[in-house]
């Protein structure tokens, strides 16, 4: 990138998606963002995306060089070892834990998703991230997209508020969800299986990370809505309401099995608090699920965000910074009931007080569709096979080399 050859101080990276939302990002950047950065003497390096996937490929290809230059700006030297680059702190260097890569994102949740996945895939098996050098990646999310769930969950609803939060400098962890597929050797259906085709082996399956998400993973009505809303993109955010009503008219029940692993908390409507739903020892790793939801599902999502848009809070008690995965499940309800539930969700999450709504906080989820199905992962779509072959795992992993991200709040 050559950033250090241009600036004597490592700059803020500004990722600008001119196609996000109603394409007002350029105007907001010129009128609000750039004047504020100039006034605060914040040097920045502008990265303008030109197509879908551009931000992801950019960071995948450049993140190692970016971090080498970041390390050098902190007085941390880099060396070549066996064809790869490593960084080493010198005695005069600022402690590496204070190294921060700042990225301002002018776009929607999709752009944030691309940046996170680009960085993590670009660092796979990289020797750069170690206990010596593990920088924080702090994102300033400026809501100029159609979907602004991360910003809304942090009560950032205007561009000016996002800029003010960036300049204030306070941040909170942005925990990412690792979405994994089973390795092929772990998905054999033979005589060792039970009658339902589920593995009985005491050896836990090997999971291969497939993608990382920061907003929402869903199945059923929500997934169908996001999928169909793309055909109404000209309507802006209203497209989600139109697509929701379309799918409620032809309401389907989606057959799947959901297994929770590790500690599970369930929202109790009488106490209005979460309480333990199982008697699981959190220190013991078990291959058996702590709790199973057998479906069929009308509405199902796994998320870290409290709001998906202003007012609409399907998991209103979710926090970007904790290590829980929030799960909302509505099983086998009709049109009238789901309309009431979604109406209450749009009133700042009042639906969690309704009888048919199940709300959990879990450590890990495994999902298995009874038929060929579709999952929505941060607005992208995964087609999954039926049965154990298509099993997926969702968890907020504790790996420090994955949980690098923070967000200005």
């Amino acid at each position: 990138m050559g950033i250090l050859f241009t600036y004597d101080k490592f700059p803020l990276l500004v990722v600008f998606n001119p196609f996000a939302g109603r394409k007002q990002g350029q105007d907001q950047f010129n009128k609000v963002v750039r004047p504020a950065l100039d006034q605060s003497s914040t040097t920045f390096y502008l990265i303008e995306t030109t197509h879908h996937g551009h931000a992801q490929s950019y960071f995948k290809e450049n993140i190692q060089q970016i971090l080498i230059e970041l390390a050098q700006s902190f007085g941390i030297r880099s060396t070549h070892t066996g064809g790869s680059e490593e960084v080493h702190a010198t005695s005069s260097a600022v402690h590496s834990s204070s190294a921060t890569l700042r990225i301002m994102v002018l776009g929607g949740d999709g752009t944030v998703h691309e940046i996170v996945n680009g960085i993590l895939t670009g660092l796979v098996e990289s020797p750069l991230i170690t206990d010596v050098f593990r920088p924080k990646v702090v994102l300033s999310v400026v809501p100029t997209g159609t979907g602004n769930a991360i910003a809304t969950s942090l009560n950032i609803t205007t561009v000016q508020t996002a800029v003010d939060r960036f300049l204030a400098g306070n941040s909170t962890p942005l925990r990412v969800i690792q979405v994994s597929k089973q390795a092929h050797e772990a998905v054999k259906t033979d005589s060792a299986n039970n009658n339902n085709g589920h593995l009985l082996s005491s050896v836990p399956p090997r999971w291969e990370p497939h993608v990382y998400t920061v907003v929402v993973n869903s199945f059923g009505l929500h997934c169908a809505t996001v999928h169909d809303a793309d055909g109404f993109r000209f309507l802006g955010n209203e497209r989600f309401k139109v697509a929701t009503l379309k799918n409620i008219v032809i309401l389907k029940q989606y057959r799947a099995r959901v297994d929770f692993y590790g500690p599970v908390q369930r929202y109790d409507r009488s106490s209005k608090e979460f309480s333990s739903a199982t008697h699981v020892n959190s220190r013991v790793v078990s291959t058996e699920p702590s709790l199973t939801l057998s479906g069929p599902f009308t509405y199902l999502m796994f998320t870290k965000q409290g709001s998906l848009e202003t007012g609409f809070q399907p998991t209103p008690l979710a926090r970007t910074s904790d290590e829980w995965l929030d799960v909302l499940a509505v099983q086998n309800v009709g049109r009238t009931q789901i309309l009431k539930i979604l109406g209450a969700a749009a009133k700042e999450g009042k639906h969690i007080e309704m009888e048919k709504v199940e709300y959990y906080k879990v450590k890990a989820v495994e999902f298995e569709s009874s038929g060929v199905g579709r999952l929505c992962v941060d607005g992208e779509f995964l087609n999954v096979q039926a049965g154990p072959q298509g099993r997926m795992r969702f968890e907020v992993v504790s790996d420090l080399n994955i949980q690098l991200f923070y967000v200005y709040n």
Side-chain angles (χ1 to χ4, degrees):
M1 290 184 58
I3 290 177
L4 289 181
F5 302 137
T6 306
Y7 304 108
D8 57 4
K9 180 180 178 183
F10 199 87
L12 165 73
L13 303 185
V14 178
V15 179
F16 168 54
N17 179 359
F19 305 102
R22 294 183 178 271
K23 302 181 181 180
Q24 297 177 347
Q26 184 73 63
D27 186 59
Q28 293 292 326
F29 177 74
N30 292 333
K31 290 183 178 180
V32 181
V33 177
R34 187 163 203 155
L37 296 180
D38 290 342
Q39 186 174 4
S40 63
S41 300
T42 302
T43 56
F44 64 89
Y45 184 91
L46 186 64
I47 303 164
E48 182 173 341
T49 63
T50 59
H51 56 272
H52 177 74
H54 186 182
Q56 183 163 339
S57 61
Y58 178 88
F59 280 95
K60 180 179 180 180
E61 294 167 5
N62 291 286
I63 188 57
Q64 296 200 40
Q65 183 60 35
I66 290 172
L67 293 185
I68 290 168
E69 296 185 10
L70 176 69
Q72 291 171 351
S73 75
F74 275 84
I76 303 172
R77 63 186 176 87
S78 62
T79 60
H80 288 278
T81 303
S84 62
E85 196 86 19
E86 295 181 355
V87 294
H88 307 275
T90 65
S91 59
S92 61
V94 176
H95 192 272
S96 61
S97 64
S98 66
T100 300
L101 175 63
R102 301 172 302 159
I103 305 175
M104 180 175 281
V105 186
L106 280 86
D109 296 320
T111 309
V112 177
H113 171 89
E114 287 192 20
I115 292 170
V116 167
N117 278 274
I119 289 174
L120 291 177
T121 54
L123 291 175
V124 171
E125 298 182 355
S126 169
L128 281 173
I129 304 300
T130 66
D131 291 338
V132 173
F133 181 70
R134 184 177 288 112
K136 293 166 61 175
V137 180
V138 189
L139 305 175
S140 173
V141 183
V142 183
T144 58
T146 302
N148 300 300
I150 298 172
T152 303
S153 294
L154 296 168
N155 200 28
I156 298 174
T157 56
T158 68
V159 173
Q160 186 62 59
T161 300
V163 172
D164 292 343
R165 301 281 181 89
F166 166 74
L167 294 175
N170 299 316
S171 64
T172 189
L174 177 66
R175 301 299 187 201
V176 302
I177 302 167
Q178 180 175 283
V179 183
S180 304
K181 292 183 175 181
Q182 284 195 65
H184 292 300
E185 64 269 19
V187 193
K188 297 178 181 178
T189 54
D190 53 29
S191 58
N193 294 355
N194 64 14
N195 292 333
N196 294 321
H198 296 289
L199 298 176
L200 293 179
S201 172
S202 60
V203 178
R206 185 168 67 84
W207 295 95
E208 297 177 341
H210 178 72
V211 70
Y212 297 93
T213 65
V214 290
V215 182
V216 63
N217 309 277
S218 66
F219 177 72
L221 177 58
H222 181 268
C223 179
T225 294
V226 176
H227 181 269
D228 292 350
D230 198 57
F232 302 103
R233 187 168 285 273
F234 62 93
L235 295 175
N237 273 348
E238 289 296 313
R239 73 183 191 267
F240 294 109
K241 295 180 181 178
V242 173
T244 298
L245 291 173
K246 170 190 171 184
N247 279 281
I248 289 176
V249 169
I250 57 171
L251 189 65
K252 300 177 182 178
Q253 306 301 328
Y254 299 79
R255 301 189 65 82
R257 166 191 171 119
V258 173
D259 293 321
F260 298 154
Y261 290 84
V264 178
Q265 295 185 350
R266 180 170 180 166
Y267 182 74
D268 183 274
R269 288 185 288 274
S270 59
S271 66
K272 299 187 184 303
E273 295 180 347
F274 283 93
S275 59
S276 179
T278 60
H279 301 287
V280 175
N281 186 337
S282 61
R283 297 182 180 180
V284 177
V285 178
S286 175
T287 58
E288 295 298 318
S290 308
L291 187 67
T292 295
L293 305 181
S294 57
F297 296 94
T298 311
Y299 203 92
L300 177 66
M301 65 169 53
F302 321 130
T303 182
K304 288 291 299 161
Q305 304 302 326
S307 298
L308 294 188
E309 58 182 272
T310 302
F312 184 58
Q313 301 180 7
T315 50
L317 303 177
R319 299 291 179 266
T320 63
S321 59
D322 67 26
E323 296 182 353
W324 291 99
L325 181 59
D326 283 47
V327 177
L328 181 76
V330 179
Q331 300 186 65
N332 201 26
V333 303
R335 295 186 185 91
T336 301
Q337 192 68 25
I338 196 63
L339 278 169
K340 290 180 179 178
I341 290 170
L342 294 179
K347 295 178 180 178
E348 300 183 339
K350 302 298 184 185
H351 63 300
I352 62 175
E353 307 299 336
M354 301 175 71
E355 183 180 356
K356 288 290 187 178
V357 176
E358 299 173 74
Y359 187 12
Y360 300 91
K361 285 183 178 289
V362 306
K363 293 298 184 179
V365 174
E366 291 184 16
F367 168 89
E368 184 179 309
S369 179
S370 298
V372 175
R374 178 191 294 133
L375 286 167
C376 176
V377 290
D378 278 4
E380 304 290 335
F381 300 98
L382 294 178
N383 292 321
V384 294
Q385 300 179 58
Q389 288 83 356
R391 200 167 176 87
M392 306 288 293
R393 184 176 176 90
F394 302 80
E395 61 184 319
V396 183
V397 293
S398 58
D399 189 338
L400 295 178
N401 292 341
I402 292 175
Q403 302 298 354
L404 300 170
F405 301 92
Y406 292 73
V407 61
Y408 288 105
N409 67 338

